[in-house]
Structures are given as structure tokens and as C-alpha cells.
Amino acid sequence: MQCGLCKSESAEFLNLGSQPLANKYPTKEQFEKEDFFPLAAYFCTRCKNVQLGIIVSRERMFEDYYYLSSVNQGLVRHFTALAAALAGKKLVVDIGSNDGILLKPLKEIGVRAVGVEPSVNVSKIANDAGLKTITSFFDAATAEKIKKEYGPADAVVMSSVFTHLEDPHQCLEDIKVLMDDDGDFIVEVEYIGHILDTVQFERFYLDRIFYYSLTSLKNLFETHGMHIADVEKVEMHGTSLRVTARKGTGAASPGVGALLKEEEETLTLPRLMEFKTQVDSYLGAFRGKLLEYQSQGLRVGGYGAPARVATICNYGKIGPDLIPFIVDDSPLKQNRFSPGTHIPIVPKTYLDSLGEKRPHVLVVFAFEYLDDIKKKTGGRDYRYLIPIPPREIA
């Protein structure tokens, strides 16, 4: 397969079989119409890019969407801190702004900001809250529209969005049109290095096309006359890279060179080929743990239905026989079902209503927000299971 960034040949290192669309939560009436696609990941040894072997149209994925950022208090804190770091900017454009999770704290500190969000249902939530959001995919026409109405942006943000793009090359050209000559392009992407270190195979799903390393981003930006000025690791979605890029050439912080050197030594094809063996081992252990609970007569429920639920449960063949329900705080997901394996998704009130029949064990799929989930379920003697690798947390 040809690398989507540098056009070199890439090698398959992971195949997760047939998968549904991860962020589409069907009703019972939609079960028979669910589509499944082959999910395999490929590695380019030249630019250290990882990408999927199939692209589902972005319109299909995002015009009707079920992910609301602001229901997650960990993400609220993350974007409140990012807004504080952007204080003093004249215009911030947030591409893929969701329900306005960054626009809201920017507005509160007096920073002029506009969002771009393709999901009709989600952008309406932001606009109804008074957070200026353009309902559109970001493209050349949208960039020109924003620049004409608001002026050039001295900060453009794409947080957990850049990985979704079919054509990152065209996106960068459009961003350059929108950016002020001295502006910052701040991109946050789930980090492939962390995914490999922690064997988080569940972060591969059909929403995302590319899984970036700093090396692949550096090559991509330089192709378009940009340079990476800074990089830091942030806790969002396990561990992500926050990269600051600028037009032209320029100096980079010491952290950029250090991470590039680390990737040269650690992001290799032999290492990635070992990944699949680790994946199968961890998933087998998780399924085994659920069967152990069942044999012991322990009741099990889930908490959090992020996109990774689709990958874990479909590849592991885990359905309502092993996890009867999953609690999720997003009203858009409640009273629907997990993609593919059709585990019921319920509000927290359902968990509270069970009384003495409540679960003994909660499988925490949104494990990076375990502390928040423990607070929400506090006062009960739950056992919490992190799925991959399976481990109980008191």
C-alpha cells in the first residue's frame, strides 16, 4: 500500500478484521443496515507514518455524529487550560470544534474565536449556546470565508481532528491561507508511540485514517513550507502530541530534536510486527477475565462508550452476554447500542436504579478518566476493571 503522506510503500502490521463505524451508535431498527469494513494498519518506514488501509467517506462519518466533548470533565479541563495558553491571541479558529469545548473558555476570557464543525447536530448545540460555529467541513472556501469576515487567524487549532483527514496535504494549504504570517498552527494528535508502548490497539478505528509520529508530521509540514517549532506530550486520549507549527523555516525547541531521535530508534517495522502478538494476548486475557467473573456469579457492567468500544468488542467478540450494558454520560448515545456487538448504552440513572442488583464490576472503557468515573460512582463498593491490559483498580 502507498503511504498517504510521502507516497512510499507501506507494510501491513495489524489486521483487526471486519469492524463497524465506531462512532455510530445504532438503534434496534438500524441493526440490519449496519455496515462493516476491513480494518488493517500499515507502516511507512520512510516517514514513520501509520495509516489505515481503507477510507470511509468523511461525510458518512461526521455529518451525523454522536460524540460530545463537553460531557467529559477531563476534556473540559484540558481545553480550559489550552484556552488560557491562547490568551492574548487576536483570533483563534478551532477546526473540528465539536460542541464548543474550546470556544467557551476562549469567550469567557475575551478571546475572539470561531469554530468549524461539520456535524449538523453537534454544531447546533454550540450555536445555541452562543458559540460562533460554522457548520461545514474545513476547506479552501471555508478558509477564505473566515479570513474575509474575521481577518487572518494568529492561532489555528485542530485537536484530535487532523488524524481524521483524507487529504492532510490540501488541509495544510488551506490552513496557510487562513493563518497570519506569524501565526501558530496547533495540532493535537493521538501519539502512535504511546499506542505502541501501551498496546492500545483499540485506538485504531475507522474514524481515524492517520496515526502520526513527530517524524511523519515534520516531513509533512516541511513539504508545505512549514516547520515544527515545539512539541509536548499531553494527557488527552491517553497520550497525545501537541505540536506547534509555523510558516517558513525557523528554530525548534530542544524537545523536538529529542523526540525525533527517540523515534528513529524505536519506531521500526520489526517492533510494529510484534504488536499484533501483544494485542491478541491482551485481548484474550480480557475476555478470559470476563468469563472468570461470569463463572463466579459476579455481575458486570461497563462505564463509558467511546469509539474504542467498537474495536475491542468486535475484535474480541464481546457482547451483552459478557457485558450486559454500558453507562455513558452523553445523551446522544443513551438508549442506543454499541456498534456491531449491540450492548445497550444507558444513562447513569439506570445504574443507580439497580439497587442490590447493581454490578460487582464496572469495566471502564474510558479508562483515562477513571478518577472522574470513580467520583460519579462513589459510595458503592465497585470493582473497576481496565480492559487492555486487563487489571483491576481499587
Side-chain angles (χ1 to χ4, degrees):
M1 176 180 171
Q2 190 179 71
C3 173
L5 300 186
C6 74
K7 309 306 179 185
S8 299
E9 283 300 308
S10 298
E12 180 182 301
F13 69 93
L14 180 67
N15 192 317
L16 296 174
S18 182
Q19 291 280 342
L21 301 181
N23 269 312
K24 302 292 186 184
Y25 298 86
T27 62
K28 282 185 178 180
E29 294 73 23
Q30 296 169 330
F31 285 177
E32 292 185 1
K33 296 181 179 179
E34 250 186 316
D35 288 332
F36 289 76
F37 302 86
L39 180 59
Y42 294 76
F43 178 64
C44 174
T45 56
R46 180 184 176 191
C47 73
K48 299 187 184 297
N49 169 51
V50 171
Q51 69 183 79
L52 299 188
I54 189 170
I55 296 176
V56 180
S57 77
R58 302 298 89 184
E59 289 78 12
R60 173 78 182 279
M61 292 298 312
F62 297 113
E63 284 186 346
D64 184 38
Y65 206 48
Y66 295 90
Y67 180 76
L68 293 180
S69 300
S70 294
V71 303
N72 187 315
Q73 290 305 303
L75 287 180
V76 170
R77 292 190 294 270
H78 173 87
F79 285 104
T80 299
L82 177 56
L86 295 170
K89 295 292 186 182
K90 297 176 182 178
L91 174 64
V92 177
V93 176
D94 185 17
I95 300 172
S97 52
N98 200 260
D99 59 1
I101 191 170
L102 177 60
L103 301 179
K104 184 176 184 288
L106 286 172
K107 183 177 181 179
E108 290 171 349
I109 63 175
V111 175
R112 194 166 61 118
V114 61
V116 181
E117 171 57 49
S119 302
V120 176
N121 57 326
V122 177
S123 63
K124 184 179 185 302
I125 293 171
N127 279 313
D128 287 349
L131 305 170
K132 177 60 181 176
T133 304
I134 298 170
T135 306
S136 173
F137 285 97
F138 180 75
D139 53 20
T142 307
E144 291 287 1
K145 173 183 171 66
I146 296 172
K147 189 172 182 179
K148 182 178 179 180
E149 293 186 12
Y150 298 91
D154 50 356
V156 176
V157 178
M158 293 187 79
S159 182
S160 196
V161 176
F162 201 65
T163 53
H164 296 301
L165 300 177
E166 288 183 63
D167 190 351
H169 291 283
Q170 183 60 51
C171 181
L172 286 180
E173 289 301 309
D174 298 337
I175 285 170
K176 286 167 63 179
V177 169
L178 178 59
M179 282 175 61
D180 184 85
D181 287 342
D182 296 322
D184 292 337
F185 175 41
I186 300 168
V187 58
E188 294 181 336
V189 294
E190 288 191 34
Y191 183 40
I192 185 60
H194 181 74
I195 290 173
L196 296 175
D197 287 342
T198 53
V199 198
Q200 289 186 28
F201 76 95
E202 69 272 20
R203 295 194 181 276
F204 290 100
Y205 44 85
L206 293 157
D207 285 34
R208 291 179 165 85
I209 301 169
F210 295 100
Y211 296 78
Y212 289 99
S213 64
L214 188 64
T215 304
S216 64
L217 286 172
K218 176 178 180 290
N219 283 316
L220 176 63
F221 289 144
E222 288 179 352
T223 300
H224 294 272
M226 302 178 72
H227 71 281
I228 292 177
D230 195 19
V231 64
E232 61 178 308
K233 292 181 180 180
V234 294
E235 293 183 358
M236 185 182 67
H237 302 305
T239 293
S240 296
L241 294 184
R242 177 184 291 164
V243 174
T244 301
R246 296 177 181 138
K247 292 181 180 180
T249 58
S253 68
V256 174
L259 187 52
L260 289 172
K261 183 178 180 181
E262 178 184 317
E263 290 181 353
E264 184 177 351
E265 298 171 352
T266 60
L267 289 183
T268 64
L269 185 57
R271 183 190 177 197
L272 270 73
M273 296 301 286
E274 295 173 1
F275 185 71
K276 178 65 159 55
T277 301
Q278 295 175 297
V279 167
D280 290 341
S281 173
Y282 283 178
L283 188 56
F286 174 49
R287 183 177 175 81
K289 194 69 177 174
L290 294 175
L291 290 170
E292 177 186 320
Y293 290 144
Q294 195 173 73
S295 68
Q296 295 171 349
L298 298 177
R299 293 184 296 273
V300 175
Y303 206 112
R308 75 191 68 154
V309 167
T311 304
I312 292 174
C313 291
N314 282 275
Y315 188 54
K317 295 180 172 53
I318 295 167
D321 57 322
L322 292 175
I323 303 177
F325 65 87
I326 300 174
V327 175
D328 197 276
D329 295 318
S330 171
L332 296 185
K333 300 178 186 178
Q334 292 164 3
N335 303 311
R336 291 175 173 266
F337 295 81
S338 67
T341 55
H342 303 154
I343 301 172
I345 300 174
V346 299
K348 183 178 175 293
T349 52
Y350 175 83
L351 184 66
D352 298 333
S353 73
L354 292 175
E356 295 304 314
K357 293 184 178 180
R358 64 183 175 83
H360 300 96
V361 181
L362 287 177
V363 178
V364 182
F365 287 104
F367 56 83
E368 62 265 50
Y369 306 111
L370 175 63
D371 289 343
D372 289 328
I373 290 171
K374 289 174 73 173
K375 289 176 184 176
K376 292 174 183 177
T377 56
R380 303 285 189 178
D381 190 23
Y382 290 114
R383 294 159 65 176
Y384 299 94
L385 178 71
I386 306 299
I388 306 294
R391 58 202 185 277
E392 278 199 25
I393 306 293

